[in-house]
Amino acid sequence: MEKESAKENVSKNFIEQIIEKDLEEGKYEEICTRFPPEPNGYLHIGHAKSILLNYGLAKKYNGKFNLRFDDTNPTKEKTEFVDSIKADVKWLGADWEERLYFASDYFDQMYEAAVKLIKKGKAFVCDLSPEEIREYRGTLTEPGKESPYRNRSIEENLDLFERMKNGEFADGSHVLRAKIDMASPNINMRDPIIYRVAHMTHHNTGDKWCIYPMYDFAHPIEDAIEGVTHSICTLEFEDHRPLYDWVVRELEYPHPPKQIEFAKLYLTNVVTGKRYIKKLVEDGIVDGWDDPRLVSIAALRRRGFTPESIQKFVELCGVSKANSSVDYAMLEYCIREDLKMKAPRMMAVLDPVKLVIDNYPENEIEYLEVPNNMENPELGVRQVPFGRELYIEREDFMEVPVKKYRRLYPGNEVRLMNAYFVTCTSCEKDEEGNITLIHCTYDPASKGGNSPDGRKVKGTIHWVCAETAVKAQCRLYENIVDEEKGVYNKEDGSLNVNPNSLTVVDAYVEPELGKADAYDRYQFVRNGFFCGDCHDTKPGAPVFNRIVSLKSSFKLPEK
Ligand code: ATP
Ligand code: MG
């Protein structure tokens, strides 16, 4: 028994351990977590980690999960982003039910909180200029200098703060500062600014306010108002925690929330970070926030990733206190695993060349019954047309085969997947030497791709019947940044964009794929997993994004 529970503890991450201790000690009756995005861009895979972590903890401990827009900064925020963030969180499977909040709805309470601090002698209005404030702040090695306005009377501070609110002062002329300790070794504690004047229109509150709270003051208040118990954020806020604790203590909240930091998720060779994604979008290097080469949630969804694959990925990443990068190949592993059994396996020829079976009857089409997924009989079967003229992949034929080549070449017999054995007899070429037509004969006794007499063929290739083929645009992707050179150029810090990040090909696909809709996912045998593009797929004219190829050298890291 004892052994068992010890083992269980080891497999719990450090946040779970903190929560369990708090619950055991009766510190909180019920936990509440939150995801607090700033609506200034689209969410990315890093945010997915935060969303699923917070939501997962709430589920696991029968607690609550809030979605809260941290919209206290009017400069960069837009309603467009509020909508996209809601859609993304929902799609990932994190259900906030009725618990949707906007930090800007608390502006009145934040103002009252600031007044409370002033009345306690814990905040003052400072008239120093931004430059002077910076200068007075000191450095990591030198203590700061107290503001000459620090010892104003409570009455004067109350009056000035009210006048800040009433719009009597210009931007940058006055700020409200917490009165803490200018000699603190932690710079965040050196009388930090908690309110500033900014004559700006806010996407939610319009022109009601011309003063706005700073993040470090606003965030703990938001958490406390909502009854959040565990406020989980990323490591760069570790040094801000003393200020977080100071705010909730001085404001005397009965059940103060606690901040817990974990390491951000970084992926190799992809651009995470809203700032950089935004730049790629604004510079027109990608076609919008959901360009499938990006790792915004919208882009991953458009590319064909499933919520389940991202959930699995986040689970495999784990939660840690140390920053590190995760291999992009692990994300690819997760989508392959998820789609392996779910996705029907179809035939599509991405680089077509024509093949004619000279001994097959002219003008005849026959239908072959093919399982939709050999490993998952539940997906049923379909009828695939076969005829005298087919398309095969250009790379599946060589006029002069290299060593160990097992596919089609003059004199060689191969299996056409699910169909027949064919033997190549000859080929035709254009003036430049490009293959234009491959001649074969087939063995009618090998129907279904089965050997009629025990003779073996070494190669199996896929094909599409020419007469019934549907044209489909396929988009093939590589990482948007150059793996060899690294994400940023050493000289000027600019992004190293991979010129081959997008390749568009006209493929021929079997008629079943002509019915593909947006977000329909398939395995194209030998070519990878593909997904109907949500913007460009039209009835009968599908456009497919390659989610991932089939092969990888990636191995799961050992536990
Ligand atoms: P970015 O760094 O991309 O600009 P951000 O932190 O500014 O993102 P917010 O909207 O403030 O974006 O983030 C909302 C939440 O998502 C925060 O709690 C933040 O800690 C978390 N988060 C952001 N990026 C990551 C990441 N790479 N890994 C894990 N969590 C993240
Ligand atoms: Mg942020």
Side-chain angles (χ1 to χ4, degrees), residues 188-289:
N188 296 302
M189 299 300 272
R190 294 183 187 167
D191 293 1
I193 299 173
I194 60 178
Y195 256 97
R196 64 193 169 117
V197 179
H199 292 266
M200 278 185 293
T201 304
H202 186 278
H203 78 106
N204 182 22
T205 55
D207 292 322
K208 178 173 175 197
W209 296 92
C210 63
I211 55 170
Y212 290 96
M214 304 301 285
Y215 178 89
D216 281 340
F217 177 66
H219 206 85
I221 296 176
E222 295 159 23
D223 286 339
I225 289 173
E226 290 173 15
V228 166
T229 54
H230 299 83
S231 179
I232 299 164
C233 65
T234 45
L235 278 186
E236 68 272 25
F237 290 99
E238 201 165 18
D239 292 344
H240 298 240
R241 190 178 349 125
L243 180 51
Y244 184 102
D245 291 341
W246 185 90
V247 171
V248 294
R249 192 174 60 243
E250 292 300 338
L251 292 173
E252 297 161 55
Y253 289 108
H255 304 286
K258 66 160 80 169
Q259 175 181 306
I260 304 171
E261 309 86 17
F262 73 103
K264 270 195 172 179
L265 169 66
Y266 294 99
L267 275 185
T268 54
N269 296 311
V270 298
V271 185
T272 44
K274 253 188 278 195
R275 211 147 54 85
Y276 296 108
I277 295 182
K278 200 172 190 163
K279 189 160 165 46
L280 286 169
V281 174
E282 282 167 0
D283 293 351
I285 292 167
V286 294
D287 81 358
W289 283 93

Side-chain angles (χ1 to χ4, degrees), residues 116-136:
K116 178 168 180 159
L117 290 183
I118 295 173
K119 286 183 176 163
K120 288 177 78 174
K122 299 284 183 171
F124 66 99
V125 173
C126 182
D127 307 358
L128 291 178
S129 69
E131 297 76 45
E132 286 167 323
I133 290 180
R134 210 171 302 128
E135 219 175 280
Y136 277 56

